[in-house]
Amino acid sequence: MSGNRAPLVEVIGLSRRYALPGGRNLQALDNVSLSVAPGEILGIVGESGCGKSTLARIVMALDRPTSGNVLLEGDDLFALSPRELARRRRNFQMIFQDPYGSLDPRMSVARIIAEPLRLLPERLSRAEKAKRVAAMLEDVGLRAEDGARFPHEFSGGQRQRIAIARALITRPKLVVADEATSALDLTVQAQILRLLRDLRARHGLTMLFISHNLGVIEEIADRVGVMQAGRLLEIGPTAAVMENPREEYTRRLLAAEPTLDFLEQPA
Amino acid sequence: MSLLAVNNLTITFRNRRSTAETAVVKAVSFSLEAGETLGIVGESGSGKSMLSLAIMGLLPGDARLSGSIRLGGQEVVGASDRALDALRGREAGMIFQEPMTALNPAMTVGAQIAEGLCLRGGLSRADANAEALALMEQVRLPEARRRFASYPHEMSGGQRQRVGIAIALALKPRLLIADEPTTALDVTVQKDILDILDELVRERAMALILISHDLGVIARSAARTLVMYRGDMMEDGPTVQVLRQPQSDYTRQLIAALPRRSRRSLEGAAP
């Protein structure tokens, strides 16, 4: 996927150090470089503390690196003026793990989804906003009428659909998903993965998809990067990394995940 | 006589705003023998956690039970608090998904493991401490002696879960209920915890109820599996059979929802 087209996102030598109490430092990201091509879904997998969420936050410009750059369509995010950065926010949006905590319970679903529309350069009429929200709701498998309801009226999977609708309403070029299916039941997780694949096919989404779950990554990602202790250990086409991991750590991760292979003994 | 026999168990809650009742567990029956591991699988709202709390006599006061739960020959449904106190810990112990919330943050882990041994096991402080240390070694806590005086917040999630297991084991229960014991843990840590549970079943001839949403975890550890959906028991049988020849549509849906990676071996070699 990452062939001849210019990358949409380039992460170059990204490091992030946090000061801990007692004068020690935590190297959350250690010289990470990668790129995401337009239309590509890049998975990032690793265990807690590997730096995958720090990477997501910095790519979203929610945190600043200690050193290194993030280029979005060639422009350095951290060289932009705050005003210019705010203007570009419509181009990159995020989906979080917890569909309960990430939606304001006092806002109607339509208002929640319409919220990022304020990032658009043009001012939309109320009717135009309503039209876009209704279309977006249907795009994520909800009904246009659901806009009048409130988050607590929806199940976890439906709430994650609402969060996806909010992330996509500005037609962002990049969507960063941080453990977007991890809080969901298995059958709901499968539905949300199917939805993301459908949306990608229809709209050509580019995604940075962060997960601790190798099975989920294999379902959705074209390429995968494996992280440990702030470093990107290896990156490559998903099937290649899963079938022929180069790194010992990747092999350990693959071996630790329980699969149904334990059923091999005859009944 | 089975170690645990659940017969036609129904658990209902009265709705807050009306007189209607909601059944969260509906007419469930199964039994469990010593040395056996039963996996209970289901999604949110399946009733799997309510079922385990009922066995421990830990349901909230507004829950209504009918049917029977016999644990070590004694009836749990309708038992007095005093009778339940005698059962908990000795007949059945429990570990939870998030060990941090189950542990006392202001007490060293050694003291927490020794507490039950003193108060309920009748051991002297010195004997209880020695036994607590032995338990910490048994759940393979690294540097158990040094860890004895640690507080929960000084430990990793996997270490805390080992402490949770040590506490549950202190009074040598014949049944251990593990409710999503590895869901909050990394996969490499999960493997260690499941190894410890498997070993306990083997070495102590303990019975284990392993509750999980993860079929991979169930397939790894449980020879028998019970599938629940919205309070109903969908099926109960040997894990191999439940996964290879599921009897209910819901089990089929659950298997179909697995990532390909986890499902692959099912499709590969059908018997």
Side-chain angles (χ1 to χ4, degrees):
Chain A
M1 296 288 298
S2 57
N4 36 20
R5 295 166 76 186
L8 178 71
V9 186
E10 273 180 283
V11 169
I12 304 162
L14 207 61
S15 292
R16 180 67 168 98
R17 212 168 39 243
Y18 293 103
L20 296 177
R24 288 176 304 142
N25 282 314
L26 173 73
Q27 190 75 38
L29 276 185
D30 188 357
N31 196 22
V32 169
S33 298
L34 54 83
S35 64
V36 192
E40 182 183 42
I41 299 183
L42 175 66
I44 298 287
V45 71
E47 298 188 288
S48 19
C50 73
K52 57 192 193 297
S53 290
T54 303
L55 174 67
R57 289 174 51 78
I58 294 178
V59 168
M60 283 300 297
L62 297 173
D63 188 7
R64 297 181 73 90
T66 312
S67 61
N69 309 89
V70 176
L71 310 188
L72 189 61
E73 297 185 296
D75 292 328
D76 187 341
L77 277 188
F78 300 102
L80 298 174
S81 67
R83 200 193 151 94
E84 184 57 24
L85 180 62
R87 211 178 65 75
R88 306 246 180 139
R89 283 234 173 250
R90 70 171 188 276
N91 290 334
F92 49 106
Q93 292 283 320
M94 191 159 181
I95 307 167
F96 299 91
Q97 170 168 356
D98 178 9
Y100 292 84
S102 60
L103 305 177
D104 187 334
R106 293 160 304 181
M107 277 164 70
S108 73
V109 164
R111 254 186 84 198
I112 289 173
I113 295 173
E115 221 252 323
L117 288 175
R118 71 186 162 76
L119 298 171
L120 295 184
E122 68 271 25
R123 269 190 70 81
L124 301 177
S125 69
R126 187 176 291 210
E128 178 59 24
K129 274 189 186 173
K131 209 177 101 194
R132 289 204 194 180
V133 168
M136 198 67 243
L137 275 164
E138 285 174 357
D139 229 9
V140 298
L142 296 169
R143 296 167 310 155
E145 308 88 87
D146 288 332
R149 297 164 67 198
F150 287 83
H152 74 265
E153 300 174 62
F154 294 87
S155 67
Q158 289 169 327
R159 286 181 206 217
Q160 204 56 310
R161 288 174 192 267
I162 295 167
I164 292 168
R166 175 180 58 185
L168 297 185
I169 191 86
T170 59
R171 298 257 177 266
K173 292 176 174 152
L174 173 72
V175 174
V176 175
D178 190 4
E179 300 281 5
T181 65
S182 302
L184 304 175
D185 276 329
L186 195 58
T187 52
V188 180
Q189 168 173 287
Q191 289 162 14
I192 295 294
L193 289 173
R194 199 175 311 130
L195 171 67
L196 289 173
R197 280 196 302 259
D198 285 355
L199 290 169
R200 193 256 284 258
R202 272 182 279 150
H203 306 304
L205 277 187
T206 305
M207 283 183 87
L208 186 62
F209 191 97
I210 308 233
S211 178
H212 71 284
N213 188 324
L214 288 160
V216 166
I217 291 279
E218 189 185 34
E219 293 283 309
I220 191 117
D222 304 308
R223 285 190 308 141
V224 61
V226 181
M227 289 189 64
Q228 186 200 22
R231 292 186 308 124
L232 182 68
L233 294 184
E234 64 179 305
I235 186 165
T238 306
V241 171
M242 301 238 175
E243 275 149 40
N244 292 303
R246 282 204 326 263
E247 294 288 326
E248 175 53 33
Y249 176 75
T250 311
R251 275 193 285 275
R252 268 213 333 264
L253 209 56
L254 286 161
E257 199 189 40
T259 63
L260 305 183
D261 292 341
F262 293 94
L263 294 174
E264 285 315 291
Q265 56 277 56
Chain B
M1 187 184 64
S2 301
L3 173 61
L4 173 71
V6 173
N7 211 328
N8 208 21
L9 180 72
T10 296
I11 305 172
T12 52
F13 284 90
R14 174 148 328 137
N15 294 356
R16 239 173 286 165
R17 264 166 275 175
S18 68
T19 53
E21 295 200 328
T22 308
V24 294
V25 170
K26 302 168 199 164
V28 167
S29 300
F30 66 93
S31 62
L32 188 64
E33 311 298 331
E36 197 182 5
T37 297
L38 173 69
I40 300 185
V41 67
E43 299 183 292
S44 337
S46 63
K48 59 192 196 300
S49 293
M50 285 295 162
L51 182 59
S52 59
L53 291 174
I55 296 168
M56 295 294 295
L58 287 173
L59 282 175
D62 56 341
R64 292 162 50 124
L65 281 82
S66 67
S68 152
I69 301 171
R70 292 190 76 80
L71 178 60
Q74 298 184 61
E75 181 57 55
V76 174
V77 176
S80 66
D81 286 348
R82 205 190 157 113
L84 288 174
D85 268 346
L87 284 174
R88 282 194 289 255
R90 288 177 204 285
E91 289 295 333
M94 187 161 181
I95 58 173
F96 300 89
Q97 172 169 343
E98 184 30 82
M100 195 62 200
T101 53
L103 297 178
N104 183 341
M107 211 171 157
T108 66
V109 298
Q112 293 188 57
I113 301 168
E115 189 181 34
L117 291 163
C118 274
L119 294 178
R120 308 192 45 212
L123 297 188
S124 69
R125 173 61 66 185
D127 288 349
N129 284 349
E131 178 66 22
L133 190 62
L135 282 162
M136 288 173 75
E137 277 160 3
Q138 199 169 6
V139 296
R140 296 189 222 136
L141 266 167
E143 303 179 80
R145 198 167 287 280
R146 189 173 68 77
R147 284 285 175 200
F148 194 89
S150 296
Y151 289 90
H153 75 267
E154 298 171 309
M155 304 181 114
S156 69
Q159 289 168 344
R160 286 198 287 259
Q161 194 56 289
R162 288 165 206 238
V163 173
I165 296 173
I167 292 174
L169 290 180
L171 295 174
K172 303 194 168 52
R174 297 200 287 162
L175 167 67
L176 181 67
I177 301 178
D179 190 356
E180 302 276 3
T182 60
T183 304
L185 304 176
D186 282 331
V187 280
T188 50
V189 182
Q190 163 168 288
K191 183 177 174 298
D192 297 341
I193 297 290
L194 294 174
D195 281 345
I196 291 169
L197 293 176
D198 291 349
E199 191 182 287
L200 290 168
V201 170
R202 257 196 332 270
E203 290 181 357
R204 295 192 172 206
M206 213 174 54
L208 174 66
I209 294 182
L210 180 62
I211 299 176
S212 181
H213 69 286
D214 186 335
L215 286 168
V217 167
I218 298 278
R220 179 192 186 285
S221 295
R224 214 177 106 207
T225 297
L226 194 156
V227 181
M228 292 196 61
Y229 177 68
R230 295 195 177 171
D232 285 312
M233 194 168 107
M234 307 309 288
E235 56 188 296
D236 172 12
T239 304
V240 180
Q241 193 185 311
V242 169
L243 292 177
R244 286 206 189 280
Q245 291 121 22
Q247 299 300 301
S248 87
D249 283 343
Y250 176 69
T251 311
R252 274 189 282 275
Q253 267 178 47
L254 210 53
I255 293 168
L258 278 171
R260 268 169 306 180
R261 209 185 129 61
S262 324
R263 222 181 328 142
R264 198 165 295 142
S265 57
L266 278 186
E267 288 157 359

